[in-house]
Amino acid sequence: MKDPQKDSPRVTFDLGELMARVENDRELLRDLLMISKEELPKHLQALREAVMSGDGSNVASVAHTFKGMLANLSANHAAEVAAQLERMGRNRQNSGFEEVLVTLERDVLTLLRELNACMAGVSS
């Protein structure tokens, strides 16, 4: 299995896959991007708090929700990193939470920049 921490993707989401999910509906895509830009930071903060608490079951739960949101955006690499946190939480592997979280934070910040750029393209 590939280690998602070692991969450094150039693009954090698959626009073609995302467009297929919204059936090429640019208005729906724009709405999804707007909601995501608001919600991603909130979910990331919730995950930070869960990691800081050291509660594996809470980390697993929050990471699972975040993974689904990222997968819906076709942000496959970030979703896999969230899945890694989820597995670690379920297995109570607390010692590596922070390192994986740093990787996820980097991916999400890049994703947010790409979503902004994509949104500018969709709005025109």
Side-chain angles (χ1 to χ4, degrees), residues 67-110:
K67 173 185 73 176
M69 183 179 191
L70 293 164
N72 285 335
L73 284 170
S74 299
N76 301 321
H77 182 268
E80 179 52 39
V81 177
Q84 182 179 4
L85 267 174
E86 180 183 6
R87 285 188 301 273
M88 290 172 73
R90 282 194 187 131
N91 295 329
R92 307 222 186 314
Q93 296 173 320
N94 303 21
S95 63
F97 283 161
E98 292 84 6
E99 184 180 338
V100 178
L101 180 63
V102 167
T103 300
L104 186 57
E105 288 175 325
R106 184 186 63 230
D107 284 355
V108 170
L109 291 175
T110 302

Side-chain angles (χ1 to χ4, degrees), residues 26 116-124:
R26 292 171 72 81
N116 281 329
C118 182
M119 197 159 165
V122 170
S123 297
S124 20

Side-chain angles (χ1 to χ4, degrees), residues 40-51 58 62:
L40 282 169
K42 293 175 189 175
H43 285 279
L44 187 57
Q45 181 59 36
L47 190 53
R48 270 189 213 108
E49 290 169 7
V51 164
N58 190 27
V62 175

Side-chain angles (χ1 to χ4, degrees), residues 21-58:
R21 284 183 188 207
V22 297
E23 298 179 351
N24 293 317
D25 184 333
R26 292 171 72 81
E27 187 174 326
L28 180 57
L29 176 63
R30 185 175 56 248
D31 291 347
L32 178 61
L33 295 177
M34 286 176 55
I35 291 167
S36 297
K37 284 175 36 180
E38 285 182 28
E39 295 298 318
L40 282 169
K42 293 175 189 175
H43 285 279
L44 187 57
Q45 181 59 36
L47 190 53
R48 270 189 213 108
E49 290 169 7
V51 164
M52 289 171 59
S53 78
D55 178 353
S57 62
N58 190 27

